[in-house]
Short mmCIF file of all heavy atoms in Angstrom, two decimals:
data_model
loop_
_atom_site.label_atom_id
_atom_site.label_comp_id
_atom_site.label_asym_id
_atom_site.label_seq_id
_atom_site.Cartn_x
_atom_site.Cartn_y
_atom_site.Cartn_z
N LEU A 81 3.12 14.53 -10.28
CA LEU A 81 1.83 14.93 -9.73
C LEU A 81 1.95 15.84 -8.57
O LEU A 81 3.08 16.02 -8.01
CB LEU A 81 1.04 13.68 -9.30
CG LEU A 81 0.71 12.60 -10.33
CD1 LEU A 81 0.25 11.36 -9.71
CD2 LEU A 81 -0.30 13.16 -11.34
N THR A 82 0.92 16.52 -8.17
CA THR A 82 0.92 17.33 -7.00
C THR A 82 0.27 16.63 -5.84
O THR A 82 -0.62 15.73 -6.03
CB THR A 82 0.16 18.62 -7.24
OG1 THR A 82 -1.23 18.36 -7.51
CG2 THR A 82 0.68 19.36 -8.48
N PRO A 83 0.58 16.98 -4.64
CA PRO A 83 -0.11 16.33 -3.48
C PRO A 83 -1.63 16.53 -3.48
O PRO A 83 -2.38 15.63 -3.11
CB PRO A 83 0.57 17.04 -2.28
CG PRO A 83 1.90 17.44 -2.76
CD PRO A 83 1.69 17.77 -4.19
N ASP A 84 -2.08 17.71 -3.96
CA ASP A 84 -3.46 17.91 -4.05
C ASP A 84 -4.17 16.99 -4.93
O ASP A 84 -5.33 16.55 -4.70
CB ASP A 84 -3.78 19.39 -4.44
CG ASP A 84 -3.43 20.38 -3.35
OD1 ASP A 84 -3.27 20.00 -2.21
OD2 ASP A 84 -3.23 21.60 -3.74
N GLU A 85 -3.54 16.59 -6.05
CA GLU A 85 -4.13 15.65 -6.98
C GLU A 85 -4.32 14.27 -6.34
O GLU A 85 -5.35 13.60 -6.55
CB GLU A 85 -3.21 15.59 -8.23
CG GLU A 85 -3.35 16.73 -9.21
CD GLU A 85 -2.41 16.62 -10.31
OE1 GLU A 85 -1.21 16.33 -10.12
OE2 GLU A 85 -2.82 16.81 -11.47
N VAL A 86 -3.31 13.89 -5.58
CA VAL A 86 -3.40 12.57 -4.85
C VAL A 86 -4.49 12.61 -3.82
O VAL A 86 -5.27 11.62 -3.72
CB VAL A 86 -2.09 12.22 -4.22
CG1 VAL A 86 -2.14 10.91 -3.45
CG2 VAL A 86 -0.97 12.12 -5.30
N VAL A 87 -4.61 13.68 -3.07
CA VAL A 87 -5.62 13.78 -2.02
C VAL A 87 -7.02 13.79 -2.60
O VAL A 87 -7.92 13.15 -2.11
CB VAL A 87 -5.41 15.06 -1.18
CG1 VAL A 87 -6.56 15.34 -0.32
CG2 VAL A 87 -4.09 14.97 -0.39
N ALA A 88 -7.14 14.47 -3.76
CA ALA A 88 -8.46 14.48 -4.39
C ALA A 88 -8.88 13.18 -4.93
O ALA A 88 -10.06 12.76 -4.79
CB ALA A 88 -8.42 15.56 -5.53
N ALA A 89 -7.85 12.39 -5.48
CA ALA A 89 -8.21 11.09 -5.94
C ALA A 89 -8.51 10.10 -4.85
O ALA A 89 -9.32 9.14 -5.04
CB ALA A 89 -7.01 10.54 -6.76
N ALA A 90 -7.92 10.29 -3.67
CA ALA A 90 -8.16 9.38 -2.48
C ALA A 90 -9.60 9.45 -2.02
O ALA A 90 -10.18 8.51 -1.58
CB ALA A 90 -7.18 9.72 -1.42
N ARG A 91 -10.19 10.66 -2.04
CA ARG A 91 -11.55 10.85 -1.57
C ARG A 91 -11.80 10.27 -0.19
O ARG A 91 -12.76 9.59 0.10
CB ARG A 91 -12.53 10.26 -2.55
CG ARG A 91 -12.55 10.93 -3.94
CD ARG A 91 -13.43 10.19 -4.93
NE ARG A 91 -14.79 10.17 -4.43
CZ ARG A 91 -15.80 9.48 -5.05
NH1 ARG A 91 -15.49 8.79 -6.14
NH2 ARG A 91 -17.04 9.49 -4.54
N VAL A 92 -10.90 10.66 0.74
CA VAL A 92 -11.08 10.21 2.09
C VAL A 92 -12.10 11.03 2.77
O VAL A 92 -12.07 12.29 2.69
CB VAL A 92 -9.73 10.36 2.89
CG1 VAL A 92 -9.94 10.04 4.39
CG2 VAL A 92 -8.67 9.50 2.28
N PRO A 93 -13.15 10.46 3.38
CA PRO A 93 -14.24 11.22 3.99
C PRO A 93 -13.77 12.06 5.19
O PRO A 93 -13.20 11.54 6.10
CB PRO A 93 -15.27 10.25 4.38
CG PRO A 93 -14.53 8.96 4.52
CD PRO A 93 -13.38 9.04 3.51
N ARG A 94 -13.95 13.34 5.07
CA ARG A 94 -13.58 14.25 6.21
C ARG A 94 -14.55 14.08 7.33
O ARG A 94 -15.69 13.83 7.19
CB ARG A 94 -13.55 15.70 5.77
CG ARG A 94 -12.56 15.96 4.61
CD ARG A 94 -11.14 15.69 4.97
NE ARG A 94 -10.22 15.91 3.86
CZ ARG A 94 -9.30 16.94 3.92
NH1 ARG A 94 -9.22 17.68 4.99
NH2 ARG A 94 -8.48 17.10 2.83
N ASN A 95 -13.97 14.23 8.58
CA ASN A 95 -14.75 14.18 9.81
C ASN A 95 -15.27 12.81 10.13
O ASN A 95 -16.03 12.58 11.09
CB ASN A 95 -15.95 15.17 9.80
CG ASN A 95 -16.32 15.54 11.25
OD1 ASN A 95 -15.47 15.71 12.15
ND2 ASN A 95 -17.65 15.68 11.45
N ALA A 96 -14.86 11.80 9.34
CA ALA A 96 -15.23 10.39 9.66
C ALA A 96 -14.29 9.86 10.75
O ALA A 96 -13.13 10.39 10.88
CB ALA A 96 -15.08 9.51 8.42
N PRO A 97 -14.70 8.90 11.51
CA PRO A 97 -13.80 8.27 12.52
C PRO A 97 -12.55 7.79 11.86
O PRO A 97 -12.66 7.14 10.79
CB PRO A 97 -14.62 7.15 13.08
CG PRO A 97 -16.05 7.61 12.96
CD PRO A 97 -16.07 8.31 11.63
N LEU A 98 -11.38 8.11 12.38
CA LEU A 98 -10.12 7.74 11.76
C LEU A 98 -10.05 6.22 11.56
O LEU A 98 -9.54 5.69 10.51
CB LEU A 98 -8.95 8.18 12.61
CG LEU A 98 -7.57 8.30 11.97
CD1 LEU A 98 -7.54 9.23 10.82
CD2 LEU A 98 -6.50 8.50 12.99
N LEU A 99 -10.52 5.40 12.52
CA LEU A 99 -10.45 4.00 12.42
C LEU A 99 -11.44 3.43 11.38
O LEU A 99 -11.18 2.28 10.90
CB LEU A 99 -10.78 3.42 13.78
CG LEU A 99 -10.31 1.97 14.04
CD1 LEU A 99 -8.77 1.91 13.95
CD2 LEU A 99 -10.79 1.46 15.45
N SER A 100 -12.35 4.18 10.91
CA SER A 100 -13.29 3.69 9.93
C SER A 100 -12.92 3.83 8.48
O SER A 100 -13.55 3.35 7.60
CB SER A 100 -14.70 4.36 10.16
OG SER A 100 -14.65 5.68 9.71
N VAL A 101 -11.76 4.55 8.23
CA VAL A 101 -11.28 4.76 6.91
C VAL A 101 -10.86 3.46 6.26
O VAL A 101 -10.01 2.72 6.83
CB VAL A 101 -10.13 5.81 6.87
CG1 VAL A 101 -9.59 5.94 5.43
CG2 VAL A 101 -10.62 7.12 7.38
N ASP A 102 -11.43 3.11 5.10
CA ASP A 102 -11.13 1.86 4.39
C ASP A 102 -9.91 2.07 3.63
O ASP A 102 -9.92 2.68 2.52
CB ASP A 102 -12.28 1.46 3.53
CG ASP A 102 -12.09 0.11 2.93
OD1 ASP A 102 -10.97 -0.38 2.79
OD2 ASP A 102 -13.14 -0.57 2.58
N THR A 103 -8.77 1.61 4.10
CA THR A 103 -7.49 1.89 3.45
C THR A 103 -7.32 1.18 2.06
O THR A 103 -6.83 1.75 1.15
CB THR A 103 -6.30 1.39 4.34
OG1 THR A 103 -6.45 0.03 4.67
CG2 THR A 103 -6.27 2.23 5.62
N GLY A 104 -7.90 -0.05 2.01
CA GLY A 104 -7.87 -0.78 0.74
C GLY A 104 -8.63 -0.03 -0.39
O GLY A 104 -8.21 0.14 -1.51
N ALA A 105 -9.83 0.44 -0.05
CA ALA A 105 -10.63 1.24 -1.02
C ALA A 105 -9.94 2.52 -1.38
O ALA A 105 -10.00 2.96 -2.56
CB ALA A 105 -12.00 1.46 -0.42
N THR A 106 -9.31 3.12 -0.45
CA THR A 106 -8.51 4.33 -0.73
C THR A 106 -7.41 4.11 -1.72
O THR A 106 -7.22 4.86 -2.68
CB THR A 106 -7.91 4.93 0.52
OG1 THR A 106 -8.96 5.15 1.51
CG2 THR A 106 -7.21 6.26 0.27
N VAL A 107 -6.69 3.02 -1.58
CA VAL A 107 -5.67 2.64 -2.54
C VAL A 107 -6.22 2.42 -3.90
O VAL A 107 -5.65 2.90 -4.92
CB VAL A 107 -4.90 1.45 -2.03
CG1 VAL A 107 -3.93 0.87 -3.13
CG2 VAL A 107 -4.09 1.74 -0.79
N ARG A 108 -7.29 1.72 -4.00
CA ARG A 108 -7.94 1.40 -5.28
C ARG A 108 -8.43 2.67 -5.98
O ARG A 108 -8.30 2.80 -7.26
CB ARG A 108 -9.08 0.41 -5.13
CG ARG A 108 -8.63 -0.97 -4.72
CD ARG A 108 -9.81 -2.00 -4.84
NE ARG A 108 -10.81 -1.71 -3.80
CZ ARG A 108 -10.77 -2.24 -2.61
NH1 ARG A 108 -9.80 -3.06 -2.22
NH2 ARG A 108 -11.74 -1.98 -1.70
N ARG A 109 -8.93 3.61 -5.19
CA ARG A 109 -9.43 4.84 -5.88
C ARG A 109 -8.25 5.67 -6.39
O ARG A 109 -8.31 6.24 -7.54
CB ARG A 109 -10.14 5.68 -4.82
CG ARG A 109 -11.59 5.17 -4.51
CD ARG A 109 -12.39 6.20 -3.74
NE ARG A 109 -11.85 6.53 -2.44
CZ ARG A 109 -12.18 5.90 -1.31
NH1 ARG A 109 -13.01 4.94 -1.35
NH2 ARG A 109 -11.63 6.28 -0.17
N ILE A 110 -7.16 5.71 -5.69
CA ILE A 110 -6.00 6.51 -6.16
C ILE A 110 -5.43 5.87 -7.46
O ILE A 110 -5.20 6.56 -8.46
CB ILE A 110 -4.93 6.55 -5.12
CG1 ILE A 110 -5.42 7.41 -3.92
CG2 ILE A 110 -3.64 7.12 -5.68
CD1 ILE A 110 -4.49 7.41 -2.77
N ARG A 111 -5.24 4.54 -7.46
CA ARG A 111 -4.73 3.85 -8.63
C ARG A 111 -5.66 3.95 -9.87
O ARG A 111 -5.21 4.10 -10.98
CB ARG A 111 -4.44 2.41 -8.33
CG ARG A 111 -3.22 2.21 -7.41
CD ARG A 111 -2.92 0.83 -7.22
NE ARG A 111 -1.58 0.59 -6.61
CZ ARG A 111 -1.19 -0.60 -6.07
NH1 ARG A 111 -1.94 -1.61 -6.16
NH2 ARG A 111 0.07 -0.69 -5.53
N ALA A 112 -6.93 3.90 -9.56
CA ALA A 112 -7.88 3.98 -10.71
C ALA A 112 -7.86 5.39 -11.32
O ALA A 112 -7.98 5.52 -12.58
CB ALA A 112 -9.28 3.64 -10.25
N ARG A 113 -7.72 6.43 -10.55
CA ARG A 113 -7.80 7.76 -11.12
C ARG A 113 -6.42 8.32 -11.50
O ARG A 113 -6.37 9.30 -12.29
CB ARG A 113 -8.45 8.68 -10.05
CG ARG A 113 -9.92 8.43 -9.80
CD ARG A 113 -10.39 9.14 -8.55
NE ARG A 113 -11.81 9.05 -8.37
CZ ARG A 113 -12.41 7.94 -7.95
NH1 ARG A 113 -11.72 6.89 -7.57
NH2 ARG A 113 -13.76 7.87 -7.94
N LEU A 114 -5.33 7.80 -10.99
CA LEU A 114 -3.96 8.28 -11.27
C LEU A 114 -3.11 7.12 -11.69
O LEU A 114 -2.39 6.57 -10.81
CB LEU A 114 -3.42 9.02 -10.09
CG LEU A 114 -4.17 10.22 -9.52
CD1 LEU A 114 -3.56 10.78 -8.24
CD2 LEU A 114 -4.29 11.33 -10.62
N PRO A 115 -3.15 6.65 -12.89
CA PRO A 115 -2.30 5.49 -13.39
C PRO A 115 -0.78 5.79 -13.15
O PRO A 115 -0.06 4.84 -13.15
CB PRO A 115 -2.63 5.41 -14.87
CG PRO A 115 -3.99 6.08 -15.01
CD PRO A 115 -4.01 7.16 -14.01
N ARG A 116 -0.43 7.04 -13.03
CA ARG A 116 1.03 7.34 -12.83
C ARG A 116 1.50 6.81 -11.47
O ARG A 116 2.67 6.54 -11.31
CB ARG A 116 1.24 8.82 -12.94
CG ARG A 116 2.75 9.23 -12.83
CD ARG A 116 2.85 10.72 -12.99
NE ARG A 116 2.60 11.15 -14.33
CZ ARG A 116 3.45 11.13 -15.35
NH1 ARG A 116 4.72 10.71 -15.11
NH2 ARG A 116 3.15 11.54 -16.50
N ILE A 117 0.58 6.56 -10.50
CA ILE A 117 1.00 6.10 -9.22
C ILE A 117 1.30 4.65 -9.34
O ILE A 117 0.50 3.83 -9.78
CB ILE A 117 -0.12 6.38 -8.23
CG1 ILE A 117 -0.38 7.88 -8.06
CG2 ILE A 117 0.17 5.68 -6.87
CD1 ILE A 117 0.79 8.60 -7.44
N ARG A 118 2.50 4.29 -8.82
CA ARG A 118 2.97 2.90 -8.84
C ARG A 118 2.63 2.17 -7.47
O ARG A 118 2.14 1.06 -7.52
CB ARG A 118 4.49 2.79 -9.04
CG ARG A 118 4.96 1.39 -9.25
CD ARG A 118 6.45 1.44 -9.75
NE ARG A 118 6.97 0.14 -9.92
CZ ARG A 118 7.65 -0.55 -8.99
NH1 ARG A 118 7.92 0.03 -7.80
NH2 ARG A 118 8.07 -1.82 -9.27
N THR A 119 2.94 2.77 -6.39
CA THR A 119 2.62 2.21 -5.07
C THR A 119 1.90 3.25 -4.20
O THR A 119 2.16 4.47 -4.30
CB THR A 119 3.87 1.71 -4.32
OG1 THR A 119 4.78 2.75 -4.10
CG2 THR A 119 4.61 0.66 -5.18
#
Side-chain angles (χ1 to χ4, degrees):
L81 298 170
T82 66
D84 288 343
E85 288 176 309
V86 177
V87 170
R91 295 176 59 187
V92 175
R94 301 298 179 111
N95 205 39
L98 195 67
L99 200 60
S100 71
V101 174
D102 190 334
T103 57
T106 303
V107 170
R108 290 191 293 271
R109 286 194 295 268
I110 292 174
R111 284 182 169 171
R113 290 168 173 79
L114 301 174
R116 185 178 292 275
I117 295 298
R118 185 170 182 267
T119 62

